[in-house]
Amino acid sequence: MSKEKSLLSSEEIKVQEKLAIFLAFIAGYIDATGLIKWKTYVSFMSGNTTQLGAAFSSEKFGVIITSVTVIGSFLIGIYAGTCLSLWKKCRIKTIAFYIVSGILTLYTFINYRFQIANISSVAIIGFAMGFMNTIVTYVGNQKINTDFVTGTLNSLAKSTAILTMSNDANEKREARANATHLLLLWIGFLAGATTSPLLLTLLKNWTLLVPVGLLLAYSSITRVFK
């Protein structure tokens, strides 16, 4: 797959980069919203796995149920999104945008009317986040994950080390580009997580309509790379 990505033009890579940063912002926004509203992460599965392990030893069954639910839903979302991306009969490149925004919209209006339980909320939003995670997986040659901050920082540090230590001009150029992509990705996630608490106070139950609007706006003005 990386060989295919290396054939992309610089303009196509720039589009990938912008899309990745955009999705990282949304991931950070929704993850922070989940942490505030339901005391759990809806896209940061490393944190949920840590909470799950700690809950086992302390017998906090509520945390165990919540963590297992959101992790399972996230995995199912990734599975569904990946299957969709591999489905050759699907010609609509922006369909993942519409699916994620549709889930968030339906959840918002149903929750406003009926107050969906926390466990169902994390399952629905966790699925949507897993699905969104499959929209873009590469920026140029660099494999990325728009909501896995630990992996992003890990790759950023490695790319920076290669940039520092390598004597090969091409390798240094690629490492510099990768480090830039990853740094911007991290900043995007951080910006989303910073914005969420501010808008949550203002919008309350309507806060998830912000990423809905962003997803629909982006899908209407750019094409998405497979």
Side-chain angles (χ1 to χ4, degrees), residues 22-23 26-27 30 77-78 80-81 84 94-108 124-136 146-147 208-216 219:
F22 173 80
L23 294 176
I26 293 177
I30 298 179
I78 292 177
L84 180 65
T94 54
I95 191 169
F97 282 75
Y98 297 125
I99 290 174
V100 175
S101 59
I103 291 171
L104 296 178
T105 301
L106 284 174
Y107 170 82
T108 297
I124 295 168
I125 306 304
F127 174 87
M129 294 304 293
F131 201 101
M132 190 182 78
N133 193 54
T134 65
I135 292 178
V136 58
T146 53
D147 58 11
L208 291 179
L209 292 184
V210 172
V212 168
L214 292 175
L215 286 166
L216 292 177
S219 65

Side-chain angles (χ1 to χ4, degrees), residues 113-127:
R113 180 66 178 83
F114 298 104
Q115 287 297 307
I116 299 174
N118 286 358
I119 194 68
S120 298
S121 294
V122 299
I124 295 168
I125 306 304
F127 174 87

Side-chain angles (χ1 to χ4, degrees), residues 52-85:
L52 177 60
F56 275 128
S57 61
S58 59
E59 297 184 352
K60 294 181 178 179
F61 297 109
V63 175
I64 292 172
I65 293 171
T66 299
S67 297
V68 169
T69 299
V70 71
I71 291 171
S73 298
F74 185 80
L75 288 173
I76 295 171
I78 292 177
Y79 174 83
T82 303
C83 287
L84 180 65
S85 69

